[in-house]
């Protein structure tokens, strides 16, 4: 007889219930059997911020936060970062297997040939103020693509889903680069199909008067690895947003826009921008101890430290630190690196951070690399959104194919006034 059950005694009634345990979870809906009377709604679980709730089954990304493990479709992130390319990893994440030569060539061709955006996109980009935050531009422009591709709302049409997937992966760098060029007052640069995904992105960002832009191979590869590291991270805030918005069968453009909006905040993808601002504010290595002291007084957070899941180290942070050195060998050393290294050194040795299991996360070093590449801080979260689009789309596709998934609709514990009568304005105090 299997012991995979949980026996619960409800001390309010003395009744005992047996709940099945599957994959280390109980089904929350089984709790509803636990009632004090036939009219009772039944027991719910209360889990603000979803600290201990699995919302789906997923075969995309595996994380073991205690051991610092991150795998896409079973492949360790370290191997993918060393041996693969971003577009190959994108294929892996979306389709579950590494592509063969012919599949890879077709995939790269498809993405390369969907990079252009409709000319009207340029026109409404011009409507943004010169100092508009590129994340605001990216979010609104991706949402606007929904109006260009109305067939995208057929979310169960396989051919359409494939097309929209390719369009989104291909067009995100173009929109991102256009947002940057707009802010700089520079003319938009059309995609160059001879270049790689990241080489072309650098082209659309930085090409000036030269006839042909030649990306530096070290920087092109560094960016490719950064994109691999950011491609998916299971059920985080933005991915859950993608699934929740997508669960109402909204089209993938507005769903990606919603996910990108969730990414924007400083506790999520906005952290890399916040790290840079923090390093600039600290200004000098000699100011690091004072800064750490204010963090320990809980007046502020050490941005780029801590993670909801990783409690020993963030494996992406380890790879990024190596990349930083490769990039600085080309661009020259970013002086903020010394402040970052000193912050890391002190924090990793300090009881406050050790006891709370706070370690550098993916965002701690990515910002200084982006700055060394010549990107303004406002572009950092955009640099996260481009590769994460792959993860959002893979999770969205998995959600739509999952018969257990319905429209997402959490419950609440109502804490307001139960009922009262309307008071006319003149009778109110
Ligand atoms: N600096 C100082 N103290 C911190 C920090 C930090 N960065 N992060 C957590 N703590 C403290 C927090 O004050 C609390 O202390 P106490 O128990 O005394 O009240 C304890 O550590 C637990 O914090 P928490 O807020 O309950 O942890 P969480 O799992 O809810 O938060 C986090 C995770 C990533 C939001 C948080 O660590 C944070 O705000 N970090 C800084 C922002 C950041 O770097 N975000 C990027 C995350 S990685 C990329 C991504 O996925 O977007």
């Amino acid at each position: 007889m299997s012991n995979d059950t949980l026996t619960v005694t409800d001390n309010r009634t003395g009744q005992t219930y047996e709940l099945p345990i599957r994959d280390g979870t109980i089904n929350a809906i089984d709790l509803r059997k636990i009632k004090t009377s036939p009219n009772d709604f039944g027991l719910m679980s209360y889990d603000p911020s979803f600290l201990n709730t699995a919302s789906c089954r997923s075969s995309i990304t595996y994380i073991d936060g205690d051991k610092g493990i991150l795998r896409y479709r079973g492949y360790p992130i370290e191997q993918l970062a060393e041996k693969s390319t971003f577009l190959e990893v994108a294929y892996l994440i979306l389709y579950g297997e590494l592509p063969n030569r012919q599949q890879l060539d077709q995939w790269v061709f498809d993405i390369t040939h969907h990079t252009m955006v409709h000319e009207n996109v340029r026109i409404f980009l011009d409507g943004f103020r010169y100092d508009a935050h590129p994340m605001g531009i990216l979010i609104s422009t991706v949402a606007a693509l929904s109006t260009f591709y109305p067939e995208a709302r057929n979310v169960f049409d396989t051919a359409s889903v494939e097309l929209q997937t390719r369009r989104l992966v291909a067009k995100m760098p173009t929109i991102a680069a256009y947002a940057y060029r707009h802010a700089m007052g520079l003319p938009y640069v059309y995609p160059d199909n001879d270049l790689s995904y990241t080489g072309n992105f650098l082209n659309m960002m930085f090409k000036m008067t030269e006839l042909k832009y030649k990306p530096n191979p070290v920087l092109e590869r560094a960016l490719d690895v950064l994109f691999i590291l950011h491609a998916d991270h299971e059920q985080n805030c933005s991915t859950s947003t993608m699934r929740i918005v997508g669960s109402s069968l909204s089209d993938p453009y507005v769903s990606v826009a919603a996910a990108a909006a969730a990414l924007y905040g400083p506790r999520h993808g906005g952290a890399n921008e916040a790290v840079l601002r923090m390093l600039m504010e600290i200004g000098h290595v000699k100011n690091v101890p004072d800064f750490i002291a204010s963090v320990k007084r809980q007046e502020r957070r050490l941005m780029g430290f801590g993670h909801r899941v990783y409690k020993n180290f963030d494996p992406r942070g380890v790879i990024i630190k190596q990349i930083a050195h490769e990039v600085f060998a080309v661009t020259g050393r970013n002086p903020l690196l010394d402040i970052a290294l000193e912050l890391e050194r002190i924090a990793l040795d300090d009881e406050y951070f050790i006891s709370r299991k706070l370690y550098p996360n993916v965002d701690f070093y990515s910002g200084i690399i982006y700055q060394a590449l010549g990107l303004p801080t406002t572009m950092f979260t955009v640099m996260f959104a481009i590769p994460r689009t792959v993860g959002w789309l893979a999770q969205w596709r998995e959600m739509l194919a999952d018969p257990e998934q319905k429209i997402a609709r959490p419950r609440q514990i109502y804490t307001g006034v139960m009922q009262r009568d309307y008071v006319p304005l003149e009778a109110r105090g």
Side-chain angles (χ1 to χ4, degrees), residues 49 51 230 233 236-238 263 265-272 274-275 295-296 298 300-311 314 316 352-353 355-364 384 388:
S49 314
L51 293 184
H230 284 89
H233 212 235
N236 51 75
C237 176
S238 58
L263 187 75
R267 290 202 170 169
H268 192 6
N272 52 16
V275 170
V295 171
K296 287 166 64 178
Q298 302 216 331
R300 55 192 311 165
R301 288 197 167 196
L302 178 51
M303 300 313 287
F305 260 66
H307 199 277
R308 173 63 61 77
V309 179
Y310 295 120
K311 297 298 175 195
D314 180 340
R316 303 166 299 173
Y352 175 95
F353 298 91
S355 62
R356 290 172 178 77
K357 298 184 181 255
L358 301 171
Y359 299 89
N361 59 47
V362 68
D363 290 322
F364 193 65
F384 193 154
R388 185 53 61 84

Side-chain angles (χ1 to χ4, degrees), residues 227-242:
F227 279 6
I228 291 173
L229 301 182
H230 284 89
D232 192 52
H233 212 235
E234 55 121 302
Q235 308 313 315
N236 51 75
C237 176
S238 58
T239 303
S240 300
T241 303
M242 180 82 193

